[in-house]
Amino acid sequence: MKKRHLLTIKTDSSGNVLLPVGFARRYGFTGGARVRLEEDETGFRLSHPADALKRVYIEPTDLCNLDCVTCMRNVWDEPSGRMSMDTFEHILEGLRDVQPTPDVFFGGFGEPLSHPHIVEMILQAAQMGASVELITNGTLLRPALIDGLIQAGLKRLWVSLDGATPEHYADVRLGAALPQVLEGLRYLKERRQLQGLSLPRLGIVFVAMKRNIADLPDLLRLSMELGADRLMVTNVLPYTPAMREEMLYRHSLYFSEASASEYAPQIDLPRMDLTPTVSKSLLPLLQQGLSVTLARQPLNQGMNSCPFVEKPSLSVRWDGMVAPCLALLHSHHSYLDDRARRVQAVSYGNVREQPLLEIWNAPAYRQLRRRLLVFDFAPCTVCNSCEMADSNQEDCYGNDAPACGGCLWAQGFIQCP
């Protein structure tokens, strides 16, 4: 169970909230910081300050040893390559200028473990004090590499498992073998137990589609058997017409925080046993797209909210190009329901040419983060009826590139660790 950390804080004579110094420093609450404040009936929620860099996504390579049907690489003509150690050193130099040291996440749109220097890269980032995570398809997890990841100080290993049986898994992860992946994960669990280690923790990522959603209960049991403490479920981002038919959220695309009638009631649900009878009765309520709380917690949080700004992050492509998020690392096509949409990659600089903090603090990049905090973009996922929704270059509110109203991450449909 996730621990709750409770702080007792005070206000000054003018009513200003006083945060403990260590807490404020850790989360980047410095003078003039801009934060997103969301208010509801139970209180309010503060986001991280938008300009306090908390996470750096690093794409070691956009090459992969698999050919998964869900992958963006099926629909692009982007150049392929591996990050040079010189480029990586430029990233490390930038991280040394940021206090506290941001988290480092090795991922992107290739297989990080296929990079010949990945263990060294993890080690160098961890030695700087970064909390280091990595996501993999798991097929390269052999004992020697697993031992290397442990010794390098990897904090969390995320593994993509899109099926609980070899047949269903191979149906998505073409060229992969589930027993081979599970053998590696069982070895990781064994090494942790024998050495009395708590790290690296294991997380499982499941891309939910019509073809595999029935596997989710079995995947939960498998995750527990493997010692995973996180199971993240995300929807498929359809890059092809075939994947568009696998979507589990076509009806939900047309719901937004403002789409329900002002006369429709908010639904407040208690905790209860989800028996077949209860589930059958609740389902019609949840399908209405209304505001729903469960045990006083809103279920529709995460709409019109960029997760890459909520925990302020940037993404570095294998060639050193810096993008504001993983979704904008590479130009690609995808589908917004039945309309093809062209997403153009966005760059604010290259670590080989500019220091990382100089890129992060560039006026245009700061302005984008301001726009994302307010999220005053056209509701393209709800409307999706004009040619402006067919790309991220502009929208009918007058926003220029990147216009993020059609981003499925910002509407809570797609999730990344």
Side-chain angles (χ1 to χ4, degrees), residues 230-242:
R230 294 281 302 278
L231 172 58
M232 174 173 283
V233 180
T234 183
N235 281 297
V236 66
L237 181 62
Y239 302 115
T240 64

Side-chain angles (χ1 to χ4, degrees), residues 190-261:
E190 176 185 308
R191 297 305 295 170
R192 288 177 53 190
Q193 290 176 336
L194 288 176
Q195 298 180 32
L197 303 173
S198 60
L199 303 177
R201 293 192 288 271
L202 176 63
I204 303 297
V205 179
F206 177 79
V207 179
M209 297 174 282
K210 291 179 181 177
R211 68 172 67 188
N212 69 354
I213 189 63
D215 273 18
L216 190 52
D218 289 335
L219 185 69
L220 173 59
R221 287 189 285 271
L222 181 60
S223 300
M224 296 172 69
E225 174 196 324
L226 295 170
D229 65 350
R230 294 281 302 278
L231 172 58
M232 174 173 283
V233 180
T234 183
N235 281 297
V236 66
L237 181 62
Y239 302 115
T240 64
M243 285 297 98
R244 179 173 155 259
E245 298 305 316
E246 294 286 345
M247 291 167 55
L248 295 172
Y249 53 96
R250 294 184 72 166
H251 185 56
S252 300
L253 278 171
Y254 299 101
F255 296 144
S256 74
E257 291 178 322
S259 63
S261 166

Side-chain angles (χ1 to χ4, degrees), residues 168-195:
H168 291 176
Y169 180 82
D171 188 37
V172 177
R173 301 277 166 186
L174 300 181
L178 182 60
Q180 174 182 316
V181 175
L182 297 183
E183 181 180 350
L185 295 181
R186 291 186 175 110
Y187 178 83
L188 171 63
K189 180 181 179 181
E190 176 185 308
R191 297 305 295 170
R192 288 177 53 190
Q193 290 176 336
L194 288 176
Q195 298 180 32

Side-chain angles (χ1 to χ4, degrees), residues 80-397:
S80 298
R82 294 186 176 91
M83 181 175 286
S84 69
M85 292 305 288
D86 181 61
T87 299
F88 183 65
E89 178 56 37
H90 282 290
I91 299 174
L92 293 181
E93 289 176 4
L95 293 177
R96 293 185 184 102
D97 295 332
V98 184
Q99 295 298 324
T101 305
D103 301 339
V104 170
F105 191 104
F106 290 100
F109 292 93
E111 172 48 54
L113 293 184
S114 69
H115 194 289
H117 301 293
I118 189 61
V119 172
E120 180 183 351
M121 295 165 86
I122 294 169
L123 176 62
Q124 291 186 38
Q127 287 178 337
M128 290 182 56
S131 173
V132 185
E133 303 184 30
L134 178 146
I135 188 168
T136 174
N137 61 42
T139 57
L140 301 179
L141 287 172
R142 301 291 189 273
L145 179 54
I146 293 170
D147 288 339
L149 296 176
I150 293 173
Q151 294 165 11
L154 184 67
K155 181 178 179 180
R156 181 176 293 277
L157 178 70
W158 291 93
V159 180
S160 296
L161 291 179
D162 296 330
T165 67
E167 297 76 20
H168 291 176
Y169 180 82
D171 188 37
V172 177
R173 301 277 166 186
L174 300 181
L178 182 60
Q180 174 182 316
V181 175
L182 297 183
E183 181 180 350
L185 295 181
R186 291 186 175 110
Y187 178 83
L188 171 63
K189 180 181 179 181
E190 176 185 308
R191 297 305 295 170
R192 288 177 53 190
Q193 290 176 336
L194 288 176
Q195 298 180 32
L197 303 173
S198 60
L199 303 177
R201 293 192 288 271
L202 176 63
I204 303 297
V205 179
F206 177 79
V207 179
M209 297 174 282
K210 291 179 181 177
R211 68 172 67 188
N212 69 354
I213 189 63
D215 273 18
L216 190 52
D218 289 335
L219 185 69
L220 173 59
R221 287 189 285 271
L222 181 60
S223 300
M224 296 172 69
E225 174 196 324
L226 295 170
D229 65 350
R230 294 281 302 278
L231 172 58
M232 174 173 283
V233 180
T234 183
N235 281 297
V236 66
L237 181 62
Y239 302 115
T240 64
M243 285 297 98
R244 179 173 155 259
E245 298 305 316
E246 294 286 345
M247 291 167 55
L248 295 172
Y249 53 96
R250 294 184 72 166
H251 185 56
S252 300
L253 278 171
Y254 299 101
F255 296 144
S256 74
E257 291 178 322
S259 63
S261 166
E262 61 180 306
Y263 302 108
Q266 175 175 301
I267 302 173
D268 299 303
L269 299 174
R271 294 175 59 189
M272 62 178 68
D273 295 335
L274 292 179
T275 63
T277 299
V278 172
S279 300
K280 183 178 179 181
S281 299
L282 290 181
L283 187 59
L285 302 180
L286 299 176
Q287 289 175 328
Q288 298 301 312
L290 304 178
S291 178
V292 179
T293 66
L294 174 63
R296 302 184 303 281
Q297 301 303 311
L299 295 184
N300 58 349
Q301 279 187 348
M303 297 167 65
N304 293 330
S305 173
C306 174
F308 300 100
V309 168
E310 288 294 305
K311 185 169 186 178
S313 64
L314 57 76
S315 300
V316 187
R317 201 166 66 183
W318 66 269
D319 59 0
M321 186 271 277
V322 176
C325 63
L326 292 174
L328 298 177
L329 270 181
H330 298 275
S331 298
H332 62 278
H333 286 90
S334 62
Y335 282 88
L336 190 56
D337 196 6
D338 60 344
R339 296 176 68 104
R341 187 168 192 263
R342 173 69 175 173
V343 174
Q344 189 68 35
V346 173
S347 173
Y348 286 96
N350 192 298
V351 295
R352 300 182 61 85
E353 301 167 359
Q354 294 173 267
L356 190 66
L357 266 186
E358 182 178 307
I359 297 172
W360 175 253
N361 289 319
Y365 196 175
R366 280 178 174 267
Q367 181 57 33
L368 175 65
R369 294 196 293 272
R370 305 286 189 270
R371 290 163 55 195
L372 287 167
L373 276 179
V374 179
F375 212 86
D376 188 22
F377 295 96
C380 295
T381 57
V382 179
C383 180
N384 195 24
S385 60
C386 76
E387 66 277 3
M388 285 188 175
D390 294 343
S391 77
N392 66 334
Q393 294 305 288
E394 60 178 334
D395 67 23
C396 60
Y397 283 15

